[in-house]
């Protein structure tokens, strides 16, 4: 499976956009990019996933570069409740199983 | 929808004792996952069921761990005998398509 590289931590001001980067330079053509987050003491929560096109839902946007070697998760208007660890995961199918969680990025949203 | 239900939420036991963790997946979901999270190793997938059948148990650490899914609405993870290094938060997750829904976790402490 392809591995991902994320910065260990980031800060963001409340109300501003949070842009979380992820490198997955060894991603294969059939591997999807998934994002989950884990708020303190809770189970992880699915955010979004994509293959090669940009995706948007009610929580976030996912921008995948044309060569698919990296992606960015965008929280358009971060709130204090978005403070969490964000995990970028590549997965070999659209079924979302066999997820391998790395260290993630600890996002701190500050007032 | 009550979400994924796990019990107990907290378990403290002595080394050598048997521990059974329980999970009720979301109704209609056909895949179930058991994960373990520790500070040292992060979030690890232990075992994955599809339609009540174990598909991949390569993450189960050793023979002391066993998991069953006797029907679509119930799964157990058993540790016998337990050891202090088994102390962790154990999460159960279920899915129907690509999105995994995690339960609140069981915090296990083995003394």
């Amino acid at each position: 499976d392809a591995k991902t590289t994320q910065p260990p931590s980031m800060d963001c001001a409340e109300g501003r956009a949070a842009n979380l980067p992820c490198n997955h330079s060894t991603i294969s053509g059939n591997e999807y990019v998934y994002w989950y987050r884990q708020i303190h003491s809770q189970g992880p929560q699915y955010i979004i996933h994509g293959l090669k096109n940009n995706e948007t839902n009610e929580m976030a946007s996912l921008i995948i570069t044309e060569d698919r070697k990296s992606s960015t998760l965008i929280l358009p208007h971060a709130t204090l409740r978005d403070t969490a660890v964000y995990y970028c995961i590549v997965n070999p199918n659209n079924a979302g199983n066999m997820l391998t969680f790395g260290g993630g990025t600890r996002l701190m949203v500050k007032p | 929808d009550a979400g994924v239900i796990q019990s107990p939420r907290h378990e403290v036991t002595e080394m050598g004792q048997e521990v059974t963790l329980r999970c009720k997946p979301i109704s209609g979901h056909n895949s179930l996952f058991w994960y373990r999270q520790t500070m040292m190793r992060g979030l690890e997938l232990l075992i994955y069921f599809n339609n009540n059948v174990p598909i991949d148990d390569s993450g189960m650490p050793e023979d002391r761990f066993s998991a069953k899914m006797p029907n679509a609405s119930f799964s157990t993870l058993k540790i016998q005998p337990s050891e202090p290094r088994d102390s962790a938060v154990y999460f159960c997750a279920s899915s129907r398509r690509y999105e995994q829904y995690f339960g609140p976790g069981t915090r296990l402490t083995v003394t």
Side-chain angles (χ1 to χ4, degrees):
Chain A
D1 290 354
K3 295 183 178 179
T4 62
T5 303
Q6 299 178 254
S9 64
M10 291 181 63
D11 290 345
C12 177
E14 187 179 18
R16 306 297 292 268
N19 297 281
L20 293 95
C22 179
N23 280 313
H24 31 79
S25 58
T26 59
I27 193 170
S28 299
N30 64 340
E31 290 182 315
Y32 287 73
V33 180
Y34 283 76
W35 284 83
Y36 278 73
R37 73 179 182 183
Q38 187 173 23
I39 296 170
H40 181 61
S41 297
Q42 299 181 20
Q45 175 190 24
Y46 166 86
I47 301 173
I48 199 166
H49 79 291
L51 181 62
K52 54 183 178 180
N53 297 321
N54 297 338
E55 303 287 343
T56 295
N57 62 19
E58 66 278 4
M59 288 183 68
S61 295
L62 173 60
I63 308 298
I64 302 174
T65 58
E66 191 169 344
D67 63 7
R68 302 208 326 120
K69 294 182 184 297
S70 66
S71 60
T72 301
L73 179 74
I74 301 173
L75 307 179
H77 306 286
T79 70
L80 299 179
R81 289 184 297 180
D82 292 322
T83 292
V85 178
Y86 287 77
Y87 298 98
C88 170
I89 304 163
V90 293
N91 187 266
N93 56 55
N94 198 25
N97 52 29
M98 305 300 295
L99 298 178
T100 301
F101 288 81
T105 295
R106 185 172 298 276
L107 175 69
M108 179 73 72
V109 181
K110 298 183 175 180
Chain B
D1 193 338
V4 175
I5 299 173
Q6 292 187 247
S7 65
R9 293 294 308 277
H10 301 272
E11 176 80 38
V12 180
T13 191
E14 293 184 347
M15 183 175 66
Q17 296 298 305
E18 177 180 296
V19 175
T20 299
L21 310 182
R22 297 172 175 79
C23 176
K24 177 179 170 54
I26 293 172
S27 177
H29 285 193
N30 60 349
S31 294
L32 184 138
F33 310 83
W34 282 100
Y35 292 85
R36 177 174 68 176
Q37 187 170 34
T38 62
M39 289 291 292
M40 291 294 293
R41 300 177 65 89
L43 194 61
E44 305 171 280
L45 176 64
L46 300 178
I47 188 169
Y48 152 48
F49 291 86
N50 191 52
N51 293 324
N52 312 337
V53 176
I55 302 300
D56 191 308
D57 65 354
S58 59
M60 295 285 265
E62 48 196 274
D63 292 345
R64 297 185 298 106
F65 285 69
S66 62
K68 294 182 179 179
M69 191 164 186
N71 56 61
S73 59
F74 184 65
S75 177
T76 60
L77 178 67
K78 184 177 295 186
I79 308 172
Q80 166 61 20
S82 58
E83 296 181 3
R85 60 190 168 128
D86 301 331
S87 297
V89 180
Y90 290 81
F91 289 103
C92 175
S94 70
S95 73
R96 181 171 57 88
R97 293 173 59 197
Y98 49 79
E99 177 179 351
Q100 291 188 26
Y101 292 82
F102 283 75
T106 294
R107 182 173 295 277
L108 174 64
T109 303
V110 183
T111 61

